[in-house]
Amino acid sequence: MTDLRVRNIVIVGGGTAGWMTAAAMSKLLRDDAIQIRLIESDAIATVGVGEATIPHILYFNRLLGLDENDFMRRTNATFKAGIEFVDWGRKGDSYIHPFGPYGFNMEAVHFHHFWLRYKHLGKAAPLDQYSLMVRAARARKFQRPDYERPNSPLSKISYAFQFDAGLYARYLRDIAEAAGVTRTEGTIVHVAQNGESGHVQSLTLASGETVGGDLFIDCTGFRGLLIEKTLRSGFIDWSHWLPCDRAVARACERAPDLLPYTRATAKSAGWQWRIPLQSRTGNGHVYCSDFLSDDAALDSLNRDLDGAAISEPNLLRFKAGVRRKPWSKNVVAIGLASGFLEPLESTSIHLIQSAIARLMDNFPDKSFNQPDIDYYNRRTVTEYEQVRDFIILHYKATERSDSAFWNHCRTMDIPNTLADRIAIFKENARLYRHDDELFNEVSWLAVMHGQHITPQRYHPVADILPEAELDRRMREIEQVTARALDSMPDHLSFIERNGLNVA
Ligand code: FAD
């Protein structure tokens, strides 16, 4: 029988995507017969942004066996409890999308249905009062979950990190190289394909060296050197729904306190991020070039920095969408080479991680079975569509009419999948999580409620509880949340007390 095993894997690109892939593959494919090589070019910079994450990164770090405290010190990381959205639904608004639940689900029904009933009775406190993560973020408090107290909201704490992506890639490189990944520095100047199958056969570097392989992972960022420039796999363009196409990023000195969350502030033609790290604050202005010039975007960013600038502005251009075939022939694109959704919900690093997991599930042999590839591509595009809908919601669910950009977003058509979801929520507050989509009901609720989508009714089961019992439970949830909050330390002191700070 012919030996079809993949022996030579070539990862092209040494940004976050390349090194995450190299570290994970070196951990999961522990076979001396498999060679993993990563090629990166000093002459072609990485994108240089990507500092905010979502809780799933904990699983990735655990898979690699990283010690979380060591990881935090090495990447100047802070903890992240959620994202604050400022000025999105209306100017003057602020809400937090938390990484943790509101209240407790009761009678197998989501908490917010009971809260809506309580609100109709005129008795409910604002929804945020029932969320430990929102209240802790506002109070700048943080701790890891306390599983010793399973009935306390402290056991439901969920968190992510804000970190220096360059240092993270460097950290993963050390791990990958220690596990046997070979790194080659050089710029690829030629890609050779098999005359019959069209598969990529080898890459030629500027030095003249030629590197062959069985499986190629394209992590070349927006360039898509193999997946698009070579294999023309096509792009599904979503810029009509997500019209922001540029960003300017700039770091400033760190503020004295350390917020345990990322902030996204809506501006006249886009939004600005503020990401607090231990060593600096990352900032960036994402905007639509049809409505704002590069100079005006930078001016706005500079005005809003809350510390002295410590880096030059980094201007980036992009288009929202996904490759039609993120896996084509013997090339799998991971990271920006496979698609891009703006960083409003910090999803790109997660999409890298989930692409790696999907590739490992569908790991090929040299026959490159087309149905497996088709399945991988369908799942990838669906995953992007689901995240896309969630991001579009932030733009669509606005009452802002103070700029041409917001008038466009408020009145634009949206995908049917999103329109259906909004219509159902408006009618009876129901929220669904389709198969294993990334954002759960808590996330959808946070944004819909935060941006003033008000349901007419709620789940009928919420009416089953006698009013006195509802009173008792709602009061208890509020009190338990307040007690848990009181016991939590300040975010900065938690970092210092646990020795997580950079020396
Ligand atoms: P890149 O960083 O662009 O790396 C490309 C690599 O390919 C480089 O090493 C380069 O040398 C190499 N290369 C290219 N061409 C060649 C060649 N010919 N020969 C050899 N090597 C080559 N994600 C988040 O999760 N959270 C965020 O907060 C976030 N913010 C973002 C903000 C903006 C404005 C943008 C644009 C993205 C953001 N992202 C964020 C996304 C995140 O930055 C990327 O997903 C992540 O950095 C991965 O990038 P990459 O490795 O795919 O590409």
Side-chain angles (χ1 to χ4, degrees), residues 227-240:
I227 198 74
E228 192 56 46
K229 293 222 165 87
T230 309
L231 294 177
R232 305 271 165 223
S233 84
F235 189 75
I236 307 173
D237 182 344
W238 291 324
S239 52
H240 46 295

Side-chain angles (χ1 to χ4, degrees), residues 299-343:
D299 284 349
S300 160
L301 183 67
N302 285 338
R303 271 198 307 277
D304 290 345
L305 297 182
D306 56 13
I310 53 170
S311 72
E312 289 305 310
N314 177 10
L315 180 71
L316 299 142
R317 289 158 202 258
F318 48 79
K319 192 185 274 185
V322 64
R323 291 276 167 239
R324 219 167 269 289
K325 290 190 223 154
W327 182 341
S328 176
K329 302 184 190 291
N330 62 340
V331 173
V332 183
I334 294 184
L336 299 173
S338 67
F340 184 67
L341 290 165
E342 57 175 86

